[in-house]
Amino acid sequence: MTQRSSASVATETNGVLPDKNKSEPFKTMCVLEFAPDTTPATIEWLIAKIHAPRSTGGAELQAYSMMNRHSQIITIHIGASTERLLEAAELMEMKKPDVTGILREVALAELESFKDSDDLETFLTTTEKQKVIMHELESLQALEADNRIPGYDKKIYAGQNLLHKLENEKIITRFFPLHEADKLKCLGDEWYRKLWKMQPLGDIRNYFGEMVAMYFGFLGFYTIALFLPGCFGLLFYFVSWRNVNALPIFATFNVVWAMGFLKAWRRKSAELAYQWGTLHSVQFEETRAMYHGEMGINKITGAMEPVYPKWKRMVQFYGVTIPVVSVCLAFAFWVMLLYFRLQYMAEMYHRETQGYLSAVLKYVPSCVYSVAIVVMNNYYRKLATFLNDWENHRLQSAYDNHLIVKLVLFDFVNSFMSLFYVAFYMRDMALLRTTLATLLVVQQIIGQIQETVIPFILFHRRAKNISKSNNSLVGEDSVPDEASNQEHVSIENVDKAPNQVSPEDKTQAEIESAMDVYQGMSDDYLEMFIQFGYVVLFSSAYPLAAFWALLNNITEIRTDSFKLCRVFQRCFARPTANIGAWQLAFELMGVIAVMTNCALVAMSLHAQKLIPDMDSLDALLLFVGAEHIVMAVIMALSFLIPDIPRTVSLELAKINYQSKQAWRKERSLAAKKHLSHRATSRSDVLEEKIVEE
């Protein structure tokens, strides 16, 4: 569907939308929070932009200023009329199910053909309304008359994104949608409160959006897939894991399982994306909020936007980022060598004393090194984020991909370098087994403390503060003195109707303002990536890795969902069709796992002399041959099994056929109407000539 102006939409849908003059009660959907030192002139200017009609460059939304009674920070409560939301939903090409259950782009002229269109005020969900408001605010641009931000000596240019500029200048500190208490409680009851029940992905998507739902879909699918290697590894550990002849069987099983799981997830993600209407969807990306540069013209849209030379970014990347990352990797290597030195000293001390204390001290270096890996990873993530911000990527997708590369590179080396060192340099299978088990178990314990104990404490502390806040806020609202009206005095022509915002919305916004900001799912994906590596890279050395990962993930789903529902502010819904660059990262891990497991099997057979007259060259040839055979099988299966399930392909073909038929029908009707009009015109001309004669 081609995008149309709001004027054409209103013309075509006359009589369908609610009456513009009909007064609707204001409902806060989103909240903007300003820095404490923001000038009133800036706030007045922004709210005027939000109120202004779209024809004059405004957002045509509803906005009222409020003073947070605890932090004393100015906030703006933002909402919109039903008519405005529906018009914007059509212009955004938002998809909703029609009466037949097929997802279609919203068309206001055909609203009666969509499900739940009887009540237009509830036709769009709150999540969709918040998404519309975010889109409209992010579309606010400076006009020719806007030279500077009022109250600041900050230049702005015609066409510059105002919301991004204010965020970049730290004038706007937070922009978040409000939670829905009733829906959130129902979602929590079906999600994190029921340990053994399947996740309600549809409800998660409806509340948090496709990006969050896709992560939890991946986490749940991965956890279910771990049952097979977890149970097999548990059986193998207690039955035949010391039998070297059985190692090739277990190693082959694990790598085939890993690649099969990733292929199955590709198909599952395509199925979910089809159900959510994001499969094969192409969306134009706006520039990032933090992107900066000299103003220039966008070659696609023709609009003014910041332009940053590519050569500067390349110089920053190759001249600074790569050397800094290299220094970090070298430091991680030095820490690993220090760990092995301390481990050697602890083992020598135990051999000399043979005491209980020395037996305990023998495991201290491994535990300390496991903690050091977690600490270094955390500090490096901050450094990687700083470098990524400094590189000044224009698009969010480019920013995310570069950040993923930095995180994956360092965390992979930092987490698995010691295992590669033990396996292929020291060639000590017993030490490899001990190191792998210690790293996996200790890091999962630390992760559980970070994601279970700490959020639980924060939640209860916040619940206590919320209880006190509610009591104080109720007391303040019940006393209509002059102090309660001072919050509207400093900003003229902004909050003419303080009673428009309900006390419930006001209190909820003040409470949620104190909640943590959700930083996205990069850390969660990275945690699963590292765990996946522990499971598949050296599976023949420690068969119980998948079992411990399975136990961890069962609680991981619940702790992550608990934090999202109770600890963090609500995040805006973002569309996605897959897990993005993380899919490639996991697949690369699977390819490396094929090589490491084949190498371990070849080394074990050579060390145990199970093949007569086998030398090092024969072991190398065995490794290369086995690796090529396994990779050939995996590639053949990947080629033969399509990424999109047949049922989804058939549905897509059906939708494509129906769209073409509708387009042809529309063209046919237009042609008939045009021919009829021409015939009528000719008839009128002939009649006029006859009359004249």
Side-chain angles (χ1 to χ4, degrees):
M1 177 185 127
T2 57
Q3 292 193 359
R4 297 170 290 170
S5 66
S6 58
S8 65
V9 171
T11 302
E12 295 177 13
T13 58
N14 188 25
V16 177
L17 295 176
D19 185 4
K20 283 186 177 182
N21 297 323
K22 179 184 176 181
S23 62
E24 300 178 29
F26 176 80
K27 175 64 179 175
T28 302
M29 293 293 167
C30 307
V31 176
L32 273 174
E33 197 170 280
F34 291 93
D37 57 349
T38 305
T39 64
T42 305
I43 300 174
E44 289 182 17
W45 172 71
L46 179 60
I47 294 185
K49 292 284 187 182
I50 296 174
H51 278 300
R54 295 185 74 246
S55 58
T56 61
E60 203 171 338
L61 301 175
Q62 301 166 348
Y64 299 99
S65 70
M66 291 285 166
M67 176 77 77
N68 188 309
R69 291 166 288 183
H70 295 289
S71 62
Q72 299 301 306
I73 291 175
I74 296 290
T75 61
I76 297 179
H77 290 238
I78 304 173
S81 65
T82 301
E83 177 184 5
R84 180 71 182 92
L85 292 169
L86 291 173
E87 289 178 354
E90 179 172 21
L91 294 173
M92 290 171 59
E93 301 179 357
M94 188 176 291
K95 292 183 178 180
K96 298 283 288 183
D98 61 14
V99 292
T100 63
I102 297 177
L103 286 174
R104 292 170 46 201
E105 293 172 359
V106 172
L108 301 185
E110 304 172 359
L111 274 180
E112 65 279 356
S113 63
F114 288 86
K115 284 184 178 180
D116 305 322
S117 60
D118 297 335
D119 186 358
L120 294 182
E121 292 186 7
T122 59
F123 175 66
L124 296 178
T125 64
T126 302
T127 302
E128 291 168 339
K129 294 176 182 178
Q130 293 168 341
K131 186 176 179 180
V132 166
I133 290 175
M134 177 192 68
H135 176 270
E136 295 304 304
L137 287 180
E138 289 184 341
S139 299
L140 270 180
Q141 295 181 347
L143 303 177
E144 292 289 345
D146 298 321
N147 298 320
R148 298 179 182 275
I149 299 175
Y152 293 90
D153 188 22
K154 306 287 185 181
K155 290 183 179 181
I156 54 177
Y157 306 91
Q160 192 169 12
N161 189 298
L162 294 181
L163 184 66
H164 293 179
K165 176 64 175 178
L166 294 175
E167 288 178 336
N168 195 24
E169 297 293 343
K170 308 299 182 183
I171 296 173
I172 291 178
T173 56
R174 287 189 179 185
F175 176 39
F176 60 93
L178 290 184
H179 276 294
E180 301 170 84
D182 294 338
K183 288 186 178 180
L184 193 63
K185 183 180 183 305
C186 294
L187 179 60
D189 291 341
E190 296 296 321
W191 195 5
Y192 60 82
R193 294 183 186 276
K194 296 184 179 180
L195 187 61
W196 302 107
K197 189 175 181 180
M198 296 293 291
Q199 298 184 89
L201 291 181
D203 295 336
I204 299 170
R205 178 252 176 178
N206 292 335
Y207 192 88
F208 289 108
E210 291 83 8
M211 190 167 288
V212 172
M214 189 65 74
Y215 163 71
F216 282 98
F218 171 78
L219 179 57
F221 192 82
Y222 172 47
T223 302
I224 293 174
L226 280 172
F227 270 98
L228 191 59
C231 295
F232 186 61
L234 193 64
L235 178 65
F236 187 82
Y237 181 81
F238 289 107
V239 175
S240 58
W241 76 287
R242 295 183 184 277
N243 185 356
V244 180
N245 294 319
L247 288 181
I249 299 175
F250 185 77
T252 303
F253 166 81
N254 252 24
V255 295
V256 172
W257 165 84
M259 302 307 289
F261 151 68
L262 293 173
K263 185 65 176 180
W265 167 248
R266 271 190 179 271
R267 293 168 59 83
K268 180 64 176 178
S269 63
E271 183 180 338
L272 292 174
Y274 168 73
Q275 293 174 3
W276 300 337
T278 58
L279 186 63
H280 297 159
S281 61
V282 179
Q283 298 211 356
F284 176 77
E285 279 193 86
E286 298 285 351
T287 56
R288 292 175 52 247
M290 304 301 290
Y291 181 67
H292 58 86
E294 297 294 330
M295 296 302 295
I297 299 177
N298 186 303
K299 295 180 180 179
I300 297 177
T301 64
M304 294 290 292
E305 67 173 30
V307 176
Y308 192 75
K310 185 178 180 180
W311 67 267
K312 285 188 178 181
R313 189 178 300 111
M314 301 299 289
V315 169
Q316 290 171 329
F317 180 75
Y318 290 104
V320 178
T321 299
I322 290 182
V324 169
V325 173
S326 300
V327 170
C328 293
L329 295 177
F331 178 75
F333 182 73
W334 178 80
V335 172
M336 181 201 70
L337 295 179
L338 179 62
Y339 151 66
F340 283 118
R341 178 62 179 173
L342 295 175
Q343 185 67 42
Y344 174 77
M345 294 172 61
E347 290 179 355
M348 293 300 297
Y349 179 72
H350 176 63
R351 289 178 184 177
E352 294 175 359
T353 59
Q354 294 294 323
Y356 291 107
L357 179 61
S358 62
V360 174
L361 289 177
K362 188 173 66 172
Y363 296 98
V364 170
S366 296
C367 295
V368 172
Y369 182 57
S370 301
V371 175
I373 288 177
V374 175
V375 173
M376 286 190 292
N377 285 346
N378 288 335
Y379 276 103
Y380 177 78
R381 290 173 193 178
K382 296 179 181 179
L383 176 62
T385 303
F386 170 79
L387 291 173
N388 221 46
D389 291 338
W390 182 64
E391 289 169 12
N392 193 29
H393 297 282
R394 175 178 171 270
L395 300 178
Q396 187 64 41
S397 59
Y399 177 88
D400 292 340
N401 291 338
H402 280 79
L403 181 60
I404 289 173
V405 170
K406 294 181 181 67
L407 295 178
V408 165
L409 175 63
F410 181 83
D411 280 42
F412 179 87
V413 173
N414 193 34
S415 300
F416 303 118
M417 178 170 47
S418 60
L419 300 178
F420 279 94
Y421 187 83
V422 173
F424 302 115
Y425 182 77
M426 300 177 66
R427 297 187 180 184
D428 189 337
M429 290 295 290
L431 181 58
L432 175 63
R433 188 177 306 115
T434 302
T435 305
L436 174 57
T438 304
L439 291 177
L440 176 62
V441 174
V442 172
Q443 289 187 29
Q444 289 192 163
I445 291 174
I446 295 174
Q448 288 297 324
I449 293 174
Q450 289 179 328
E451 299 187 8
T452 305
V453 178
I454 295 178
F456 184 79
I457 295 173
L458 292 176
F459 172 73
H460 279 277
R461 180 187 298 175
R462 183 171 290 116
K464 186 181 295 184
N465 293 335
I466 286 174
S467 178
K468 293 180 180 178
S469 299
N470 282 336
N471 294 333
S472 62
L473 292 178
V474 169
E476 291 179 14
D477 287 337
S478 62
V479 182
D481 57 7
E482 289 185 4
S484 63
N485 294 322
Q486 290 299 317
E487 57 196 7
H488 308 290
V489 173
S490 60
I491 303 176
E492 298 178 359
N493 302 321
V494 170
D495 201 359
K496 294 281 188 177
N499 294 328
Q500 291 286 350
V501 180
S502 67
E504 293 79 9
D505 287 347
K506 186 176 180 180
T507 301
Q508 183 181 355
E510 290 172 335
I511 291 172
E512 292 185 15
S513 175
M515 298 175 73
D516 297 333
V517 178
Y518 185 60
Q519 300 295 340
M521 290 150 291
S522 293
D523 288 348
D524 297 319
Y525 276 120
L526 189 60
E527 181 184 354
M528 291 299 103
F529 173 78
I530 298 301
Q531 184 198 87
F532 184 71
Y534 284 133
V535 171
V536 300
L537 283 181
F538 302 95
S539 54
S540 56
Y542 188 60
L544 286 181
F547 176 75
W548 294 121
L550 173 62
L551 294 183
N552 177 81
N553 287 5
I554 291 175
T555 58
E556 181 83 17
I557 294 174
R558 270 64 204 178
T559 54
D560 283 353
S561 57
F562 174 82
K563 290 188 299 182
L564 206 59
C565 292
R566 297 298 182 187
V567 177
F568 293 121
Q569 290 177 348
R570 188 175 187 174
C571 56
F572 283 103
R574 303 280 184 179
T576 188
N578 46 53
I579 60 175
W582 289 108
Q583 179 77 34
L584 179 61
F586 277 88
E587 290 175 351
L588 287 176
M589 182 72 81
V591 172
I592 298 173
V594 172
M595 294 186 286
T596 55
N597 280 277
C598 290
L600 286 177
V601 170
M603 288 169 52
S604 299
L605 295 177
H606 175 58
Q608 298 294 329
K609 303 296 183 181
L610 296 179
I611 299 178
D613 302 326
M614 182 180 183
D615 56 16
S616 299
L617 180 59
D618 294 330
L620 177 62
L621 294 175
L622 176 63
F623 155 68
V624 174
E627 180 265 336
H628 276 62
I629 292 173
V630 175
M631 287 301 301
V633 171
I634 291 173
M635 292 179 65
L637 291 176
S638 179
F639 177 77
L640 294 173
I641 302 174
D643 291 341
I644 300 178
R646 180 173 174 78
T647 54
V648 175
S649 299
L650 290 175
E651 290 297 325
L652 289 174
K654 185 187 298 183
I655 293 173
N656 187 38
Y657 173 77
Q658 292 174 349
S659 299
K660 286 184 178 180
Q661 292 298 109
W663 177 73
R664 288 173 180 172
K665 183 179 179 180
E666 184 177 349
R667 288 194 63 187
S668 176
L669 291 174
K672 288 180 180 179
K673 185 178 180 180
H674 178 68
L675 292 174
S676 175
H677 178 71
R678 290 187 62 184
T680 304
S681 299
R682 287 182 179 180
S683 176
D684 293 340
V685 171
L686 289 174
E687 288 180 0
E688 289 178 0
K689 286 184 178 180
I690 293 173
V691 170
E692 290 176 358
E693 292 177 356

